[in-house]
Coordinates of all heavy atoms in Angstrom, one line a residue:
M1 N 9.0 19.4 17.6 CA 8.0 18.7 16.9 C 8.4 18.6 15.4 O 8.9 19.5 14.8 CB 6.6 19.3 17.0 CG 5.5 18.5 16.2 SD 3.9 19.1 16.6 CE 3.7 20.4 15.4
A2 N 8.2 17.4 14.8 CA 8.5 17.2 13.4 C 7.6 18.1 12.5 O 6.4 18.2 12.8 CB 8.4 15.7 13.1
E3 N 8.2 18.6 11.5 CA 7.4 19.4 10.6 C 6.9 18.6 9.4 O 7.6 17.8 8.8 CB 8.3 20.5 10.0 CG 7.6 21.6 9.3 CD 8.5 22.8 9.0 OE1 9.2 23.2 9.9 OE2 8.4 23.3 7.9
R4 N 5.6 18.8 9.1 CA 4.9 18.1 8.0 C 5.5 18.5 6.7 O 5.8 19.7 6.5 CB 3.4 18.5 8.1 CG 2.6 17.8 7.0 CD 1.2 18.2 7.2 NE 0.4 17.7 6.1 CZ -0.9 17.6 6.1 NH1 -1.6 18.0 7.1 NH2 -1.5 17.0 5.0
L5 N 5.8 17.6 5.8 CA 6.3 17.9 4.5 C 5.2 18.4 3.6 O 4.0 18.1 3.7 CB 6.9 16.6 3.9 CG 8.1 16.0 4.6 CD1 8.5 14.7 3.8 CD2 9.2 16.9 4.7
T6 N 5.6 19.3 2.6 CA 4.6 19.8 1.7 C 4.3 18.6 0.7 O 5.0 17.6 0.6 CB 5.2 20.9 0.8 OG1 6.3 20.4 0.1 CG2 5.7 22.1 1.8
D7 N 3.2 18.8 0.0 CA 2.8 17.8 -1.0 C 3.9 17.6 -2.0 O 4.2 16.5 -2.4 CB 1.5 18.2 -1.8 CG 0.3 18.1 -0.9 OD1 0.3 17.4 0.1 OD2 -0.7 18.7 -1.2
A8 N 4.6 18.7 -2.5 CA 5.7 18.5 -3.4 C 6.8 17.8 -2.8 O 7.5 16.9 -3.5 CB 6.2 19.9 -3.8
D9 N 7.1 18.0 -1.5 CA 8.2 17.2 -0.9 C 7.9 15.7 -0.8 O 8.7 14.9 -1.0 CB 8.5 17.8 0.6 CG 9.1 19.2 0.6 OD1 9.8 19.5 -0.5 OD2 9.0 19.9 1.6
V10 N 6.6 15.4 -0.5 CA 6.2 14.0 -0.4 C 6.3 13.4 -1.8 O 6.8 12.3 -1.9 CB 4.8 13.9 0.1 CG1 4.3 12.5 0.0 CG2 4.7 14.4 1.6
D11 N 5.9 14.1 -2.8 CA 6.0 13.6 -4.2 C 7.4 13.3 -4.6 O 7.7 12.3 -5.2 CB 5.4 14.5 -5.2 CG 3.8 14.6 -5.1 OD1 3.2 13.7 -4.5 OD2 3.2 15.6 -5.6
T12 N 8.3 14.2 -4.2 CA 9.8 14.0 -4.5 C 10.3 12.8 -3.7 O 11.0 12.0 -4.3 CB 10.5 15.3 -4.1 OG1 10.1 16.4 -4.9 CG2 12.0 15.1 -4.3
A13 N 9.9 12.7 -2.5 CA 10.4 11.5 -1.7 C 9.9 10.2 -2.3 O 10.6 9.2 -2.3 CB 9.9 11.7 -0.2
L14 N 8.6 10.2 -2.7 CA 8.1 9.0 -3.3 C 8.8 8.5 -4.6 O 8.9 7.3 -4.9 CB 6.6 9.2 -3.6 CG 5.7 9.1 -2.4 CD1 4.2 9.5 -2.8 CD2 5.6 7.7 -1.8
E15 N 9.4 9.5 -5.3 CA 10.1 9.1 -6.5 C 11.3 8.3 -6.2 O 11.8 7.5 -7.0 CB 10.6 10.4 -7.2 CG 9.4 11.1 -7.9 CD 9.9 12.4 -8.5 OE1 11.1 12.7 -8.7 OE2 9.0 13.2 -8.9
A16 N 11.9 8.5 -5.0 CA 13.1 7.7 -4.5 C 12.8 6.5 -3.8 O 13.7 5.7 -3.5 CB 14.0 8.7 -3.7
L17 N 11.5 6.2 -3.4 CA 11.1 5.1 -2.7 C 10.4 4.1 -3.6 O 9.5 4.4 -4.3 CB 10.2 5.5 -1.5 CG 10.8 6.4 -0.5 CD1 9.7 6.9 0.4 CD2 11.8 5.6 0.3
E18 N 10.9 2.8 -3.5 CA 10.3 1.8 -4.4 C 9.0 1.3 -4.0 O 8.9 0.7 -2.8 CB 11.3 0.7 -4.6 CG 10.9 -0.3 -5.6 CD 12.0 -1.4 -5.8 OE1 13.2 -1.2 -5.6 OE2 11.6 -2.5 -6.2
A19 N 8.0 1.4 -4.8 CA 6.6 0.8 -4.5 C 5.9 1.4 -3.3 O 5.0 0.8 -2.8 CB 6.7 -0.7 -4.4
W20 N 6.3 2.6 -2.9 CA 5.5 3.3 -1.8 C 4.6 4.2 -2.5 O 4.8 4.7 -3.6 CB 6.5 4.1 -0.9 CG 7.3 3.3 0.0 CD1 8.5 2.7 -0.2 CD2 6.9 3.0 1.4 NE1 8.9 2.0 0.9 CE2 8.0 2.2 1.9 CE3 5.9 3.3 2.2 CZ2 8.0 1.7 3.2 CZ3 5.8 2.8 3.5 CH2 6.9 2.0 4.0
S21 N 3.4 4.5 -1.9 CA 2.4 5.4 -2.4 C 1.9 6.3 -1.3 O 2.2 6.0 -0.1 CB 1.3 4.6 -3.1 OG 0.6 3.8 -2.2
R22 N 1.2 7.2 -1.7 CA 0.5 8.1 -0.7 C -0.9 7.7 -0.5 O -1.6 7.6 -1.5 CB 0.7 9.6 -1.1 CG 0.2 10.5 -0.1 CD 0.5 11.9 -0.5 NE 0.2 12.8 0.6 CZ 0.5 14.1 0.6 NH1 1.1 14.6 -0.4 NH2 0.2 14.8 1.7
E23 N -1.4 7.6 0.7 CA -2.8 7.3 0.9 C -3.2 8.3 2.0 O -2.9 8.1 3.2 CB -2.9 5.8 1.4 CG -4.3 5.3 1.5 CD -4.3 3.9 1.8 OE1 -4.3 3.0 0.9 OE2 -4.4 3.6 3.0
G24 N -3.9 9.3 1.6 CA -4.3 10.3 2.6 C -3.0 11.0 3.1 O -2.2 11.5 2.3
D25 N -2.9 11.1 4.4 CA -1.7 11.7 5.1 C -0.7 10.7 5.5 O 0.0 10.9 6.5 CB -2.2 12.5 6.3 CG -3.0 13.7 5.9 OD1 -2.7 14.3 4.8 OD2 -3.9 14.2 6.7
A26 N -0.5 9.6 4.7 CA 0.4 8.6 5.1 C 1.2 8.0 3.9 O 0.6 8.1 2.7 CB -0.3 7.5 5.8
L27 N 2.3 7.5 4.1 CA 3.0 6.7 3.1 C 2.6 5.2 3.3 O 2.6 4.8 4.5 CB 4.6 6.8 3.3 CG 5.1 8.2 3.1 CD1 6.6 8.2 3.3 CD2 4.8 8.8 1.7
V28 N 2.4 4.5 2.3 CA 1.9 3.1 2.4 C 2.7 2.2 1.4 O 3.0 2.6 0.3 CB 0.4 3.0 2.1 CG1 -0.1 1.6 2.1 CG2 -0.4 3.9 3.0
K29 N 3.0 1.0 1.9 CA 3.6 0.0 1.0 C 3.0 -1.4 1.4 O 3.0 -1.7 2.6 CB 5.1 0.0 1.2 CG 5.8 -1.0 0.3 CD 7.3 -0.8 0.3 CE 7.9 -1.7 -0.7 NZ 9.3 -1.3 -1.0
D30 N 2.5 -2.1 0.4 CA 2.1 -3.4 0.5 C 3.1 -4.4 -0.1 O 3.6 -4.1 -1.2 CB 0.7 -3.6 -0.2 CG -0.4 -2.9 0.4 OD1 -0.7 -3.2 1.6 OD2 -1.0 -2.0 -0.2
V31 N 3.5 -5.4 0.7 CA 4.5 -6.4 0.3 C 3.9 -7.8 0.4 O 3.4 -8.1 1.4 CB 5.7 -6.2 1.2 CG1 6.8 -7.2 0.7 CG2 6.2 -4.8 1.1
R32 N 4.1 -8.5 -0.6 CA 3.7 -10.0 -0.6 C 4.8 -10.7 0.1 O 6.0 -10.6 -0.2 CB 3.5 -10.5 -2.0 CG 2.3 -9.9 -2.7 CD 2.1 -10.6 -4.0 NE 1.7 -12.0 -3.8 CZ 0.9 -12.6 -4.5 NH1 0.4 -12.1 -5.5 NH2 0.6 -13.9 -4.2
I33 N 4.4 -11.5 1.1 CA 5.4 -12.3 1.9 C 4.8 -13.7 2.1 O 3.6 -13.9 2.0 CB 5.8 -11.7 3.2 CG1 4.6 -11.5 4.1 CG2 6.5 -10.4 3.0 CD1 4.9 -11.0 5.5
T34 N 5.7 -14.6 2.5 CA 5.2 -15.9 2.9 C 4.7 -15.8 4.3 O 5.1 -14.9 5.1 CB 6.4 -17.0 2.9 OG1 7.4 -16.5 3.8 CG2 6.9 -17.1 1.5
R35 N 3.8 -16.7 4.7 CA 3.2 -16.7 6.0 C 4.2 -16.6 7.2 O 4.0 -15.9 8.1 CB 2.3 -17.9 6.2 CG 0.9 -17.7 5.7 CD 0.0 -18.9 6.3 NE -1.3 -18.8 5.7 CZ -2.2 -18.0 6.1 NH1 -2.0 -17.1 7.0 NH2 -3.4 -18.0 5.5
D36 N 5.2 -17.4 7.0 CA 6.2 -17.5 8.1 C 7.2 -16.3 8.2 O 8.0 -16.2 9.1 CB 7.0 -18.8 8.0 CG 7.8 -19.0 6.8 OD1 7.5 -18.3 5.8 OD2 8.6 -19.8 6.7
S37 N 7.1 -15.4 7.3 CA 8.0 -14.2 7.2 C 7.4 -13.0 8.1 O 8.2 -12.1 8.4 CB 8.2 -13.7 5.8 OG 8.8 -14.7 5.0
Y38 N 6.2 -13.0 8.4 CA 5.6 -11.9 9.1 C 6.3 -11.6 10.4 O 6.6 -10.4 10.7 CB 4.1 -12.1 9.3 CG 3.4 -11.0 10.0 CD1 2.9 -9.9 9.3 CD2 3.2 -11.0 11.4 CE1 2.3 -8.8 9.9 CE2 2.6 -9.9 12.0 CZ 2.2 -8.8 11.2 OH 1.6 -7.7 11.8
G39 N 6.5 -12.5 11.2 CA 7.1 -12.3 12.6 C 8.5 -11.7 12.5 O 8.7 -10.6 13.1
W40 N 9.4 -12.3 11.8 CA 10.7 -11.7 11.7 C 10.8 -10.4 11.0 O 11.5 -9.5 11.4 CB 11.8 -12.7 11.2 CG 11.7 -12.9 9.7 CD1 11.1 -13.9 9.1 CD2 12.2 -12.1 8.7 NE1 11.2 -13.8 7.7 CE2 11.9 -12.7 7.4 CE3 13.0 -10.9 8.7 CZ2 12.3 -12.1 6.2 CZ3 13.3 -10.3 7.4 CH2 13.0 -10.9 6.2
L41 N 10.0 -10.2 10.0 CA 9.9 -9.0 9.2 C 9.4 -7.8 10.1 O 9.9 -6.7 10.1 CB 9.1 -9.1 7.9 CG 9.1 -7.9 7.0 CD1 10.5 -7.4 6.7 CD2 8.3 -8.3 5.8
S42 N 8.3 -8.1 10.8 CA 7.8 -7.1 11.7 C 8.8 -6.7 12.8 O 9.0 -5.5 13.1 CB 6.5 -7.6 12.4 OG 5.5 -7.9 11.5
E43 N 9.5 -7.7 13.3 CA 10.5 -7.4 14.3 C 11.6 -6.6 13.8 O 12.1 -5.6 14.4 CB 11.0 -8.7 14.9 CG 12.0 -8.5 16.0 CD 12.5 -9.8 16.7 OE1 11.8 -10.8 16.5 OE2 13.5 -9.7 17.4
A44 N 12.1 -6.9 12.6 CA 13.2 -6.2 12.0 C 12.8 -4.7 11.7 O 13.6 -3.8 11.9 CB 13.6 -6.9 10.7
V45 N 11.6 -4.5 11.2 CA 11.1 -3.2 10.9 C 10.9 -2.4 12.3 O 11.3 -1.2 12.3 CB 9.8 -3.2 10.1 CG1 9.1 -1.8 10.1 CG2 10.0 -3.7 8.7
M46 N 10.4 -3.0 13.3 CA 10.3 -2.4 14.6 C 11.7 -2.0 15.2 O 11.8 -1.0 15.8 CB 9.5 -3.2 15.6 CG 8.0 -3.2 15.2 SD 7.2 -1.6 15.0 CE 7.5 -0.9 16.6
N47 N 12.7 -2.8 14.9 CA 14.0 -2.4 15.4 C 14.5 -1.1 14.7 O 15.1 -0.3 15.3 CB 15.0 -3.6 15.1 CG 14.9 -4.7 16.0 OD1 14.3 -4.6 17.1 ND2 15.3 -5.9 15.5
E48 N 14.2 -1.0 13.4 CA 14.6 0.2 12.7 C 13.7 1.4 13.2 O 14.2 2.5 13.4 CB 14.3 0.0 11.2 CG 15.3 -0.9 10.5 CD 16.7 -0.5 10.6 OE1 17.0 0.7 10.5 OE2 17.6 -1.4 10.7
A49 N 12.5 1.2 13.4 CA 11.6 2.2 13.9 C 12.0 2.7 15.3 O 12.0 3.9 15.6 CB 10.1 1.7 14.0
N50 N 12.4 1.8 16.2 CA 12.8 2.1 17.5 C 14.1 3.0 17.5 O 14.3 3.9 18.3 CB 13.0 0.9 18.4 CG 11.7 0.3 18.8 OD1 10.7 0.9 18.8 ND2 11.7 -1.0 19.0
A51 N 15.0 2.6 16.5 CA 16.2 3.4 16.3 C 15.9 4.9 16.0 O 16.7 5.8 16.3 CB 17.1 2.8 15.3
L52 N 14.8 5.1 15.3 CA 14.4 6.4 14.9 C 13.4 7.1 15.9 O 13.0 8.2 15.7 CB 13.7 6.4 13.5 CG 14.6 6.3 12.3 CD1 13.7 6.2 11.1 CD2 15.5 7.5 12.2
D53 N 13.0 6.3 16.9 CA 12.0 6.7 17.8 C 10.7 7.1 17.1 O 10.1 8.2 17.2 CB 12.4 7.8 18.7 CG 11.5 8.1 19.9 OD1 10.8 7.1 20.3 OD2 11.4 9.3 20.4
H54 N 10.3 6.2 16.2 CA 9.1 6.4 15.3 C 8.4 5.1 15.2 O 9.0 4.0 15.2 CB 9.6 6.9 14.0 CG 8.5 7.6 13.2 ND1 7.7 8.6 13.7 CD2 8.1 7.4 11.9 CE1 6.9 9.0 12.8 NE2 7.1 8.3 11.7
H55 N 7.1 5.1 15.1 CA 6.3 3.9 15.2 C 5.4 3.7 14.0 O 4.4 4.5 13.9 CB 5.6 3.8 16.5 CG 6.6 4.0 17.6 ND1 7.5 3.0 18.0 CD2 6.8 5.0 18.4 CE1 8.2 3.4 19.0 NE2 7.8 4.6 19.3
P56 N 5.6 2.8 13.1 CA 4.7 2.5 12.0 C 3.5 1.7 12.3 O 3.5 1.0 13.4 CB 5.7 1.7 11.0 CG 6.5 0.9 12.0 CD 6.7 1.8 13.2
E57 N 2.6 1.7 11.5 CA 1.4 0.8 11.6 C 1.8 -0.4 10.7 O 2.2 -0.2 9.5 CB 0.1 1.4 11.1 CG -0.3 2.6 12.0 CD -1.6 3.3 11.4 OE1 -2.4 2.6 10.7 OE2 -1.7 4.4 11.7
I58 N 1.8 -1.6 11.3 CA 2.1 -2.8 10.5 C 0.9 -3.7 10.6 O 0.4 -4.0 11.6 CB 3.3 -3.5 11.1 CG1 4.6 -2.6 11.1 CG2 3.6 -4.8 10.3 CD1 5.8 -3.2 11.8
E59 N 0.4 -4.1 9.4 CA -0.8 -4.9 9.3 C -0.6 -6.1 8.5 O 0.0 -6.0 7.4 CB -1.9 -4.0 8.7 CG -3.2 -4.7 8.5 CD -4.2 -3.8 7.8 OE1 -4.0 -2.6 7.6 OE2 -5.2 -4.3 7.3
R60 N -1.1 -7.2 9.0 CA -1.0 -8.5 8.2 C -2.2 -8.4 7.2 O -3.3 -8.0 7.5 CB -1.2 -9.7 9.1 CG -1.1 -11.0 8.3 CD -1.4 -12.2 9.2 NE -0.4 -12.3 10.3 CZ 0.6 -13.2 10.4 NH1 0.7 -14.1 9.4 NH2 1.4 -13.3 11.4
T61 N -1.9 -8.7 5.9 CA -2.9 -8.7 4.9 C -3.1 -10.1 4.4 O -2.3 -11.0 4.8 CB -2.5 -7.8 3.7 OG1 -1.3 -8.2 3.1 CG2 -2.4 -6.3 4.2
G62 N -4.0 -10.4 3.5 CA -4.3 -11.7 3.0 C -3.0 -12.5 2.6 O -2.8 -13.6 2.9
D63 N -2.2 -11.8 1.8 CA -1.0 -12.5 1.3 C 0.3 -11.7 1.6 O 1.3 -11.9 0.9 CB -1.1 -12.8 -0.2 CG -1.3 -11.5 -1.0 OD1 -1.4 -10.4 -0.4 OD2 -1.3 -11.5 -2.3
G64 N 0.2 -10.9 2.6 CA 1.4 -10.1 2.8 C 1.4 -9.2 4.1 O 0.7 -9.6 5.1
I65 N 2.0 -8.1 3.9 CA 2.1 -7.1 5.0 C 2.0 -5.7 4.5 O 2.4 -5.5 3.3 CB 3.5 -7.3 5.7 CG1 3.6 -6.6 7.0 CG2 4.6 -7.0 4.8 CD1 4.8 -7.0 7.9
R66 N 1.4 -4.8 5.3 CA 1.2 -3.4 4.9 C 1.9 -2.6 5.9 O 1.7 -2.7 7.1 CB -0.3 -3.1 4.8 CG -0.5 -1.6 4.6 CD -1.9 -1.3 4.4 NE -2.2 -1.3 2.9 CZ -3.0 -0.4 2.3 NH1 -3.7 0.5 3.0 NH2 -3.1 -0.4 1.0
F67 N 2.7 -1.6 5.4 CA 3.3 -0.6 6.3 C 2.6 0.7 6.0 O 2.5 1.1 4.8 CB 4.8 -0.5 5.9 CG 5.6 -1.8 6.1 CD1 5.9 -2.6 5.0 CD2 5.9 -2.3 7.4 CE1 6.6 -3.8 5.1 CE2 6.5 -3.5 7.5 CZ 6.9 -4.2 6.4
R68 N 2.3 1.4 7.1 CA 1.7 2.7 6.9 C 2.4 3.7 7.8 O 2.5 3.4 9.0 CB 0.2 2.6 7.3 CG -0.6 3.9 7.1 CD -2.1 3.7 7.4 NE -2.8 4.9 7.0 CZ -2.9 6.0 7.7 NH1 -2.3 6.1 8.9 NH2 -3.6 7.1 7.3
L69 N 2.9 4.7 7.3 CA 3.8 5.7 8.0 C 3.2 7.1 8.0 O 2.9 7.6 6.9 CB 5.2 5.7 7.4 CG 5.9 4.4 7.1 CD1 7.2 4.6 6.5 CD2 6.0 3.6 8.4
T70 N 3.0 7.6 9.1 CA 2.5 9.0 9.3 C 3.0 9.5 10.6 O 3.2 8.7 11.5 CB 1.0 9.1 9.1 OG1 0.6 10.5 9.0 CG2 0.2 8.4 10.2
T71 N 3.1 10.8 10.8 CA 3.4 11.4 12.0 C 2.2 12.1 12.6 O 1.8 13.2 12.1 CB 4.6 12.4 11.9 OG1 5.7 11.7 11.4 CG2 5.0 13.0 13.2
H72 N 1.5 11.5 13.5 CA 0.2 12.0 14.0 C 0.4 13.4 14.5 O -0.5 14.3 14.3 CB -0.4 11.1 15.0 CG -0.7 9.7 14.4 ND1 -1.8 9.5 13.6 CD2 -0.1 8.5 14.6 CE1 -1.8 8.3 13.2 NE2 -0.8 7.6 13.8
S73 N 1.4 13.7 15.3 CA 1.6 15.0 15.9 C 1.8 16.1 14.9 O 1.5 17.3 15.2 CB 2.8 15.0 16.9 OG 4.0 14.7 16.2
A74 N 2.2 15.8 13.7 CA 2.4 16.8 12.6 C 1.2 16.8 11.6 O 1.1 17.6 10.8 CB 3.7 16.5 11.8
G75 N 0.3 15.8 11.8 CA -0.8 15.7 10.9 C -0.5 15.3 9.5 O -1.2 15.6 8.5
G76 N 0.6 14.5 9.3 CA 0.9 14.0 8.0 C 2.3 13.4 7.9 O 2.8 13.0 8.9
V77 N 2.8 13.4 6.7 CA 4.1 12.8 6.4 C 5.2 13.8 6.8 O 5.2 15.0 6.4 CB 4.2 12.4 4.9 CG1 5.6 11.9 4.6 CG2 3.2 11.4 4.6
T78 N 6.2 13.3 7.5 CA 7.4 14.1 7.9 C 8.7 13.4 7.4 O 8.6 12.3 6.9 CB 7.5 14.2 9.4 OG1 7.8 13.0 10.0 CG2 6.3 14.9 10.0
A79 N 9.8 14.1 7.6 CA 11.1 13.5 7.2 C 11.3 12.1 7.9 O 11.9 11.2 7.3 CB 12.2 14.5 7.5
K80 N 10.8 12.0 9.1 CA 11.0 10.7 9.8 C 10.3 9.6 9.1 O 10.8 8.4 9.0 CB 10.5 10.8 11.2 CG 11.5 11.1 12.3 CD 10.9 10.9 13.7 CE 12.0 11.1 14.7 NZ 11.5 10.9 16.1
D81 N 9.1 9.9 8.5 CA 8.4 8.8 7.8 C 9.2 8.4 6.5 O 9.3 7.2 6.2 CB 7.0 9.3 7.4 CG 6.2 9.7 8.6 OD1 6.0 8.8 9.4 OD2 5.7 10.8 8.7
V82 N 9.7 9.4 5.9 CA 10.5 9.1 4.7 C 11.7 8.3 5.0 O 12.1 7.3 4.3 CB 10.9 10.4 3.9 CG1 11.8 10.1 2.8 CG2 9.6 11.1 3.4
E83 N 12.4 8.7 6.1 CA 13.6 7.9 6.5 C 13.2 6.5 6.9 O 13.9 5.5 6.5 CB 14.3 8.6 7.7 CG 15.4 7.8 8.3 CD 16.6 7.6 7.5 OE1 16.8 8.3 6.5 OE2 17.4 6.7 7.8
L84 N 12.1 6.3 7.6 CA 11.7 5.0 8.0 C 11.3 4.1 6.8 O 11.7 3.0 6.7 CB 10.6 5.0 9.0 CG 10.1 3.7 9.6 CD1 11.3 2.8 10.1 CD2 9.1 3.8 10.7
A85 N 10.7 4.8 5.8 CA 10.3 4.0 4.6 C 11.6 3.5 3.9 O 11.7 2.4 3.5 CB 9.6 5.0 3.6
A86 N 12.6 4.4 3.8 CA 13.9 4.0 3.2 C 14.5 2.8 4.0 O 15.1 1.9 3.5 CB 14.9 5.1 3.1
R87 N 14.5 2.9 5.4 CA 15.0 1.8 6.2 C 14.2 0.5 6.0 O 14.8 -0.6 6.0 CB 15.0 2.2 7.7 CG 16.1 3.3 7.9 CD 16.1 3.6 9.4 NE 17.1 4.6 9.7 CZ 17.7 4.7 10.9 NH1 17.5 3.8 11.8 NH2 18.6 5.7 11.1
I88 N 12.9 0.6 5.9 CA 12.1 -0.6 5.6 C 12.5 -1.2 4.3 O 12.6 -2.4 4.2 CB 10.6 -0.2 5.7 CG1 10.1 0.1 7.1 CG2 9.7 -1.4 5.1 CD1 8.7 0.7 7.2
D89 N 12.7 -0.4 3.3 CA 13.2 -0.9 2.0 C 14.5 -1.6 2.2 O 14.7 -2.7 1.5 CB 13.3 0.2 1.0 CG 11.9 0.6 0.4 OD1 10.9 -0.1 0.7 OD2 11.9 1.7 -0.2
R90 N 15.4 -1.1 3.0 CA 16.7 -1.8 3.2 C 16.5 -3.1 3.9 O 17.2 -4.1 3.6 CB 17.7 -0.9 4.0 CG 18.2 0.2 3.1 CD 19.4 0.9 3.7 NE 19.2 1.7 4.9 CZ 18.7 2.9 5.0 NH1 18.4 3.5 3.9 NH2 18.5 3.5 6.1
V91 N 15.6 -3.2 4.9 CA 15.2 -4.4 5.6 C 14.7 -5.4 4.5 O 15.1 -6.6 4.5 CB 14.2 -4.2 6.7 CG1 13.6 -5.6 7.1 CG2 14.8 -3.5 7.9
L92 N 13.8 -5.0 3.7 CA 13.2 -5.9 2.7 C 14.2 -6.4 1.7 O 14.1 -7.5 1.2 CB 12.1 -5.1 1.9 CG 10.9 -4.8 2.8 CD1 9.9 -3.9 2.0 CD2 10.1 -6.1 3.2
S93 N 15.3 -5.6 1.4 CA 16.3 -6.0 0.5 C 17.4 -6.8 1.1 O 18.3 -7.3 0.5 CB 16.9 -4.8 -0.2 OG 17.7 -4.0 0.7
G94 N 17.3 -6.9 2.5 CA 18.3 -7.6 3.2 C 19.6 -6.9 3.5 O 20.5 -7.4 4.0
A95 N 19.6 -5.6 3.2 CA 20.8 -4.8 3.4 C 20.9 -4.1 4.8 O 21.9 -3.6 5.1 CB 20.8 -3.6 2.3
A96 N 19.8 -4.2 5.6 CA 19.9 -3.6 6.9 C 20.7 -4.4 7.9 O 20.6 -5.6 7.9 CB 18.5 -3.3 7.5
R97 N 21.5 -3.8 8.7 CA 22.3 -4.5 9.7 C 21.3 -4.9 10.8 O 20.4 -4.1 11.1 CB 23.5 -3.7 10.2 CG 23.2 -2.4 10.9 CD 24.4 -1.7 11.1 NE 24.1 -0.3 11.6 CZ 24.1 0.0 12.9 NH1 24.5 -0.9 13.8 NH2 23.8 1.2 13.2
D98 N 21.6 -5.9 11.5 CA 20.7 -6.4 12.5 C 20.8 -5.5 13.7 O 21.9 -5.4 14.3 CB 21.1 -7.9 12.9 CG 20.1 -8.5 13.9 OD1 19.1 -7.8 14.2 OD2 20.4 -9.6 14.4
R99 N 19.7 -4.9 14.1 CA 19.7 -4.1 15.3 C 19.2 -4.8 16.5 O 19.1 -4.3 17.6 CB 18.9 -2.8 15.1 CG 19.4 -1.9 14.1 CD 18.5 -0.7 14.0 NE 18.9 0.2 12.9 CZ 19.9 1.0 12.9 NH1 20.6 1.2 13.9 NH2 20.1 1.8 11.8
G100 N 18.8 -6.1 16.4 CA 18.1 -6.8 17.4 C 18.9 -7.4 18.5 O 20.0 -7.4 18.8

């Protein structure tokens, strides 16, 4: 089972992640996107998540998309959540290779 990170570890991880924040026991990022970007972006993020065997919550918002990462079995943020956040950032920057 994945081990929950300490508050200090989460704070350190957030320093390296662009525009991510902590909301309760999860990492959260809101991104403004065009309406037609939701489908391909969700799919690209799920490809990264599947590669890690980890599953984010992805929600359509009024003008964008929200990613919420937590490891339920650990009761909070784990290293897998931090890794997936970094991979999501690479997808958003266009640097991720296509896993589809």
Side-chain angles (χ1 to χ4, degrees):
M1 180 171 86
E3 192 170 315
R4 181 180 176 164
L5 297 178
T6 65
D7 288 342
D9 290 338
V10 173
D11 290 343
T12 298
L14 284 171
E15 290 175 13
L17 296 169
E18 186 177 333
W20 285 86
S21 61
R22 186 173 189 172
E23 190 174 273
D25 288 329
L27 299 179
V28 175
K29 183 170 187 165
D30 291 300
V31 181
R32 292 183 68 143
I33 59 172
T34 60
R35 274 195 185 280
D36 59 343
S37 298
Y38 181 83
W40 73 261
L41 182 55
S42 296
E43 184 176 341
V45 167
M46 287 310 297
N47 287 339
E48 293 297 324
N50 290 335
L52 283 175
D53 192 28
H54 199 49
H55 305 288
E57 294 175 28
I58 301 174
E59 177 185 348
R60 186 185 295 256
T61 61
D63 60 353
I65 190 168
R66 170 176 268 219
F67 302 104
R68 186 174 188 279
L69 311 177
T70 189
T71 303
H72 297 287
S73 62
V77 177
T78 66
K80 265 191 173 181
D81 298 304
V82 174
E83 172 64 20
L84 183 53
R87 288 183 181 211
I88 289 170
D89 283 347
R90 286 195 294 276
V91 167
L92 292 168
S93 72
R97 61 190 172 96
D98 184 11
R99 295 184 189 275

